[in-house]
């Protein structure tokens, strides 16, 4: 049995998070658990703990915007395996998660014993998906968009997510403790990398990596 030193769990549902931790802590007695309820908290944990052994990521954590955060984490912290933990277990969501670099996909309906087994498999360097998942089915090709998102620096990605929230340059500059001119310079670089002309087009581009409208309404 592997006893990892650090695991980050990014999930904004306290009941699920606490129930899962309550069980896993009984087995992983030497593990330090770092909890994040927002993308900002997740980014802070990743920056402060690049030696983490695993990230458990809920695709619906506030500010995640579907698969964008998974792509970003895999590009900037490739040493940390990511297991997507989701209330949605449809084939397309699983397939895209794995295609964008996840080492595992655990539906929230999975029994805790199986979640523990899945974590152990991923820590051993293996891939884990639900037994019913058929990885051979085709997936819509969004690799070009994913590569463009992956090319953003951490600061550029953070600003792009703020654009998606509808924040003005002045607000973003205040939150990030930089000047508006700096934000404008980052925006220009973001637009160039995403091959768009303005923030509206940028948000539309990353929206193509979001989850379906129906899933978002169900979350």
């Amino acid at each position: 049995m592997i006893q990892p030193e650090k695991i980050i769990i990014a999930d904004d549902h306290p009941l699920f998070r606490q129930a899962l931790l309550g069980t896993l802590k009984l087995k992983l007695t030497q593990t330090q658990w770092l909890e994040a309820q927002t993308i900002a908290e997740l980014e802070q944990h990743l920056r402060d703990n690049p030696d983490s052994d695993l990230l458990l990521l809920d695709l619906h954590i506030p500010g995640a915007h579907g698969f964008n955060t998974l792509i970003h984490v895999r590009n900037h912290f490739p040493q940390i395996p990511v297991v997507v933990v989701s209330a949605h277990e449809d084939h397309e969501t699983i397939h895209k998660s794995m295609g964008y670099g996840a080492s595992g996909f655990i539906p929230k309906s999975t029994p805790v014993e199986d979640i523990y087994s899945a974590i152990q498999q991923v820590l051993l360097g293996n891939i884990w998906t639900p037994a019913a998942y058929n990885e051979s089915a085709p997936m819509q090709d969004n690799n070009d968009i994913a590569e463009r998102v992956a090319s953003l620096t951490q600061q550029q990605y953070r600003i792009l997510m703020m654009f998606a929230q509808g924040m003005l340059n002045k607000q973003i500059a205040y939150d990030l403790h930089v000047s508006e001119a700096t934000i404008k310079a980052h925006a220009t670089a973001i637009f160039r990398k995403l091959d768009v002309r303005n923030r509206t087009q940028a948000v539309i581009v990353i929206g193509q990596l979001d989850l379906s409208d129906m899933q978002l309404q169900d979350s």
Side-chain angles (χ1 to χ4, degrees):
M1 179 178 68
I2 297 179
Q3 287 282 346
E5 292 185 10
K6 294 180 186 176
I7 294 180
I8 303 172
I9 178 168
D11 192 302
D12 67 321
H13 295 89
L15 291 179
F16 173 81
R17 194 175 65 249
Q18 295 307 319
L20 179 61
L21 287 175
T23 302
L24 292 178
K25 284 180 178 178
L26 296 176
K27 295 178 177 292
L28 301 175
T29 56
Q30 300 172 33
T31 300
Q32 177 185 0
W33 291 89
L34 306 171
E35 301 178 50
Q37 298 186 66
T38 65
I39 287 301
E41 291 178 1
L42 171 59
E43 289 182 342
Q44 188 66 52
H45 283 319
L46 289 169
R47 287 196 299 270
D48 294 345
N49 303 276
D51 58 340
S52 295
D53 297 284
L54 183 68
L55 166 62
L56 300 177
L57 174 66
D58 182 354
L59 295 174
H60 284 294
I61 187 173
H65 296 280
F67 299 100
N68 289 282
T69 293
L70 170 61
I71 293 166
H72 176 72
V73 172
R74 292 303 300 132
N75 184 63
H76 288 279
F77 302 93
Q79 76 279 12
I80 304 177
V82 180
V83 172
V84 171
V85 182
S86 177
H88 302 289
E89 47 193 282
D90 60 283
H91 185 276
E92 184 179 8
T93 301
I94 300 174
H95 201 45
K96 286 185 176 180
S97 296
M98 303 309 292
Y100 293 136
S103 295
F105 188 101
I106 302 174
K108 287 190 174 180
S109 61
T110 305
V112 175
E113 281 295 328
D114 290 342
I115 293 179
Y116 172 71
S117 297
I119 290 173
Q120 287 290 308
Q121 284 297 311
V122 172
L123 291 172
L124 286 169
N126 300 320
I127 298 295
W128 194 95
T129 54
Y133 170 62
N134 175 17
E135 65 177 333
S136 63
M139 180 179 98
Q140 182 180 351
D141 186 10
N142 278 325
N143 286 340
D144 179 56
I145 299 172
E147 288 175 4
R148 282 185 265 166
V149 170
S151 73
L152 299 175
T153 66
Q154 293 187 53
Q155 187 77 329
Q156 289 167 355
Y157 180 78
R158 191 174 300 118
I159 292 169
L160 176 60
M161 293 300 102
M162 289 176 164
F163 285 169
Q165 295 172 32
M167 295 177 65
L168 302 176
N169 286 352
K170 184 177 182 179
Q171 295 172 305
I172 298 172
Y174 178 81
D175 281 4
L176 298 182
H177 308 291
V178 297
S179 68
E180 282 190 66
T182 298
I183 299 302
K184 290 178 181 178
H186 279 305
T188 299
I190 291 168
F191 301 157
R192 184 179 67 251
K193 288 183 177 181
L194 294 183
D195 193 22
V196 298
R197 294 182 178 181
N198 53 51
R199 63 160 65 196
T200 299
Q201 292 180 351
V203 172
I204 291 173
V205 165
I206 64 170
Q208 296 178 56
L209 293 174
D210 216 330
L211 304 177
S212 71
D213 292 339
M214 183 171 63
Q215 288 177 328
L216 289 173
Q217 291 167 5
D218 290 344
S219 65

